[in-house]
Amino acid sequence: MALNRLEKAQTWLFRAVTAFFFMIFQFFSTRRPADSVKKLPPVTNPLLLQSATQLAKKIRRKEVSSVEVVHAYIDRIQDVNPFVNAVVKDRFAAALQEAALVDKLIEEETGGEEVLEDRLPLLGVPLSVKESYSLQGMPLTTGLMSRRGVVASVDAPPVALLKRSGAIPLGVTNTSELCMWLESHNHLYGITCNAYDLERIPGGSSGGEGSILGAAGAVIGVGSDIGGSIRMPCFFNGIFGHKTTPGVVSSENQYPPTSGRQDEYLSCGPMCRYAEDLLPMLKIMAGPNAHMLSLNTDVNLKKLRFFSIPHDGGSAYTYPVSKELLDIQKKVVERLEADLGVKVQQVCLRELRYSFQIWDTYMGLPDHEGKPPLAFAELMGEPGQPAWALWELLKRMVGKSDHTVPAIMLALLEMTHVSKPSPFIIHQKEELQKKMDELLGTDGVLLYPSHPRVAPKHHHPLFRPFDFAYT
């Protein structure tokens, strides 16, 4: 899978240009002394070190009250949020009232613990929600200054299902502007920091979720993903998440809405601090579509087929996967082979080097009725006139634009899009999908890096903008 001469030239030019701008950025950046970089306060309340599944069980058995659990998480958010800026609007008073009603319901329940578990599996457990999802009475801006003051009047379906299962929302969390960048930063709420290193990004666009879960300020949360928005924050913050098959969990009542063929890529899914909560959360969030997945089927890991792809084969746009991540994936392979007695096969799919071009092409395709997707500049200006990208760039240079640099650059890139997609890229996508389906079947597990490196420092993704192609 060696690069040809043209691809080598493209790679060299791209990296030279980004390295030049990165040097300028480094020169003008202000550096904080090392001793000023603060760490989050340690977790002291043992309730914060238990999964949602365990907490729900303790609440049902009256071993701990919902009010105690909700209080513990409110206290933790108040301790860590000044550092990470993950929760952008809370509903603490309402959450405590709802927790008190939960405790009263449990006291009055005569059917026993099993009835509560069946009817309300997450009864009394705190929940955080990405701000791009409708949570009744909470802001629904997706970090857009022009939407300041927009408040959700309903709950998005997955949020409603989690609430119906007994979960108690504590607030909404930060996103990148319009959910289209891998750093959770906007001019309405500011910048969110990584839970483990405040100088690094938490990922995007569900970065507020990743950060507050990693910081033990939440135990379960709701995220969405169209190009890595669940998977990167989970990877960067050491938590667990699942990008579900599109169409299984409803994506209604979130902003921005999908258009064109974007619904083939967008999906909502669970994010959580403990892996054992992924399955019960997904069962709830899928609602009437849960039957589409084999969620109740027992799986014998020793009978699965495992594959490993260490990198994308050398895209001109992405940087090489770091040695530490290559080594870690190798250790995972060795552990699987030792523990399960399986053979993990290393494979190579050359089409992966076109991941960014494939994603970018399909984000811009019209729907099956020929209607093109909403222009990004139009979304930036909502509810008013579309944003004028060049004018916003000039304003940004003097610190006057309401939009972040990544959003402006996306709008500028949109202006350069050709109307007719590349037949070559369409072919690469179809070949990749065919090979992936044949490789994995219904019993295949694929190991692949979530990103070429660990969480970057703030603003550094501007100089490696396409590394998200791994997701």
Side-chain angles (χ1 to χ4, degrees):
M1 285 181 63
L3 300 179
N4 61 38
R5 288 182 179 180
L6 177 61
E7 289 173 327
K8 285 179 180 177
Q10 288 175 328
T11 302
W12 182 89
L13 180 63
F14 172 68
R15 290 180 185 168
V17 170
T18 53
F20 172 74
F21 283 110
F22 184 65
M23 280 196 308
I24 296 174
F25 169 79
Q26 291 281 72
F27 180 78
F28 286 104
S29 292
T30 55
R31 291 178 177 83
R32 291 186 294 176
D35 59 1
S36 73
V37 180
K38 296 178 180 177
K39 296 285 186 182
L40 297 186
V43 177
T44 56
N45 191 324
L47 290 175
L48 304 178
L49 300 176
Q50 299 179 48
S51 69
T53 304
Q54 293 166 344
L55 288 172
K57 186 182 292 185
K58 287 180 179 292
I59 291 169
R60 287 193 301 269
R61 293 178 175 178
K62 304 178 191 176
E63 294 173 11
V64 65
S65 70
S66 176
V67 167
E68 286 177 275
V69 174
V70 169
H71 248 308
Y73 274 96
I74 290 173
D75 289 345
R76 180 63 179 173
I77 291 171
Q78 290 174 333
D79 283 345
V80 301
N81 210 51
F83 298 100
V84 296
N85 187 39
V87 177
V88 293
K89 181 70 175 177
D90 70 69
R91 57 186 303 278
F92 293 160
L96 286 169
Q97 290 178 352
E98 290 160 12
L101 290 174
V102 165
D103 292 333
K104 184 179 179 184
L105 172 67
I106 291 171
E107 283 294 332
E108 295 174 351
E109 176 58 49
T110 57
E113 181 192 342
E114 292 76 16
V115 172
L116 286 174
E117 183 178 9
D118 181 60
R119 216 173 70 231
L120 301 161
L122 291 177
L123 186 60
V125 175
L127 166 74
S128 55
V129 178
K130 184 179 181 179
E131 200 259 19
S132 60
Y133 270 92
S134 290
L135 173 58
Q136 190 173 27
M138 301 300 283
L140 181 62
T141 68
T142 320
L144 208 58
M145 291 286 280
S146 59
R147 285 177 63 86
R148 187 202 303 264
V150 174
V151 175
S153 58
V154 297
D155 291 323
V159 176
L161 288 165
L162 286 165
K163 286 172 69 174
R164 207 176 298 164
S165 76
I168 299 174
L170 297 183
V172 290
T173 56
N174 206 18
T175 73
S176 51
E177 184 177 351
L178 285 169
C179 287
M180 288 300 284
W181 187 238
L182 59 156
E183 179 156 19
S184 293
H185 175 216
N186 57 72
H187 292 311
L188 182 58
Y189 299 124
I191 195 164
T192 299
C193 298
N194 189 287
Y196 288 89
D197 184 342
L198 302 180
E199 289 196 317
R200 295 182 183 271
I201 71 169
S205 61
S206 310
E209 282 298 303
S211 177
I212 203 63
L213 285 159
V219 65
I220 54 173
V222 177
S224 59
D225 189 321
I226 199 169
S229 290
I230 286 174
R231 293 161 288 164
M232 282 185 289
C234 289
F235 173 59
F236 290 161
N237 292 277
I239 61 166
F240 300 90
H242 181 57
K243 180 183 178 181
T244 56
T245 302
V248 174
V249 177
S250 172
S251 293
E252 292 178 25
N253 296 113
Q254 62 171 302
Y255 192 85
T258 56
S259 54
R261 292 180 63 177
Q262 294 165 2
D263 58 355
E264 295 174 23
Y265 283 76
L266 177 68
S267 61
C268 175
M271 297 175 68
C272 44
R273 194 166 161 82
Y274 300 97
E276 73 170 335
D277 292 329
L278 284 172
L279 187 61
M281 277 192 77
L282 181 53
K283 285 181 180 179
I284 293 165
M285 294 170 72
N289 291 334
H291 71 278
M292 296 168 67
L293 304 174
S294 304
L295 299 178
N296 296 316
T297 303
D298 289 332
V299 177
N300 184 342
L301 296 180
K302 294 181 179 182
K303 292 184 178 179
L304 296 180
R305 295 176 303 117
F306 292 87
F307 304 94
S308 176
I309 301 182
H311 51 74
D312 66 6
S315 165
Y317 293 96
T318 59
Y319 279 74
V321 176
S322 68
K323 184 180 182 300
E324 65 179 318
L325 294 182
L326 291 172
D327 289 345
I328 287 168
Q329 186 154 319
K330 186 179 177 185
K331 286 180 181 178
V332 171
V333 168
E334 292 169 351
R335 182 67 180 265
L336 287 169
E337 291 182 337
D339 286 5
L340 300 179
V342 298
K343 177 62 181 173
V344 180
Q345 181 185 347
Q346 185 163 315
V347 292
C348 173
L349 299 177
R350 62 168 285 108
E351 293 83 6
L352 283 170
R353 69 169 70 178
Y354 303 107
S355 294
F356 169 71
Q357 296 97 314
I358 290 169
W359 181 87
D360 184 53
T361 297
Y362 276 76
M363 286 297 100
L365 289 182
D367 64 21
H368 297 293
E369 295 177 357
K371 188 176 180 182
L374 287 169
F376 191 73
E378 188 175 330
L379 293 168
M380 286 171 68
E382 203 275 343
Q385 294 296 315
W388 184 22
L390 288 171
W391 178 237
E392 291 301 330
L393 181 60
L394 291 172
K395 287 164 64 179
R396 181 76 260 139
M397 290 177 178
V398 292
K400 296 295 183 182
S401 176
D402 286 340
H403 301 287
T404 56
V405 171
I408 295 168
M409 297 310 293
L410 282 166
L412 285 170
L413 282 171
E414 185 178 61
M415 294 165 61
T416 66
H417 263 206
V418 292
S419 57
K420 192 173 181 181
S422 161
F424 174 77
I425 294 300
I426 297 291
H427 176 71
Q428 297 304 309
K429 186 264 187 185
E430 291 171 349
E431 282 296 301
L432 179 60
Q433 187 160 356
K434 179 184 175 184
K435 288 181 180 179
M436 196 72 81
D437 287 344
E438 290 173 352
L439 178 73
L440 297 180
T442 58
D443 61 347
V445 175
L446 176 65
L447 306 176
Y448 190 61
S450 299
H451 202 70
R453 56 191 174 141
V454 297
K457 292 192 174 182
H458 288 298
H459 308 301
H460 285 205
L462 288 168
F463 308 97
R464 291 187 177 181
F466 305 115
D467 282 356
F468 82 95
Y470 271 81
T471 48

